[in-house]
Amino acid sequence: RQMCIRDRLRDVKRVGVEAVAARAGVAPESVVVFAHYPPQFWHLHFHFCVVGDPRADAGCYRAVLLDDVVDALERDDEHFAACAMTVVG
């Protein structure tokens, strides 16, 4: 099951980055993906931001890079079940 989740996260990143890069007219390497899981909603969602866009800074301190989420799950399937997560309100 965890492998399927990691694969899906990779697909979300690949498809989303390609779409944002094409729409914004930038290289795919200029797009970063943040994962949010705010406790008030309990709903995982993603933000695709173009590096250097001033709007990309809004709320990033509450987010985790999608690459870091996938990396943590690859090292330990139970990482997010066992780790302490800081919530900034």
Side-chain angles (χ1 to χ4, degrees):
R1 178 174 178 215
Q2 290 296 335
M3 184 57 132
C4 180
I5 291 170
R6 290 191 302 262
D7 290 342
R8 292 197 127 176
L9 291 174
R10 285 188 195 100
D11 287 343
V12 165
K13 180 184 176 190
R14 181 183 51 78
V15 171
V17 165
E18 288 173 2
V20 170
R23 183 174 177 121
V26 299
E29 298 78 27
S30 297
V31 180
V32 293
V33 187
F34 296 99
H36 275 179
Y37 193 73
Q40 67 269 34
F41 303 118
W42 299 109
H43 182 77
L44 177 66
H45 63 278
F46 306 98
H47 294 264
F48 293 80
C49 304
V50 176
V51 174
D53 186 329
R55 297 170 294 178
D57 292 335
C60 289
Y61 60 90
R62 297 185 198 181
V64 178
L65 285 172
L66 183 55
D67 289 338
D68 292 342
V69 171
V70 172
D71 180 63
L73 291 172
E74 286 176 339
R75 285 184 281 114
D76 178 5
D77 287 342
E78 297 298 318
H79 174 79
F80 292 102
C83 75
M85 304 276 299
T86 301
V87 177
V88 179

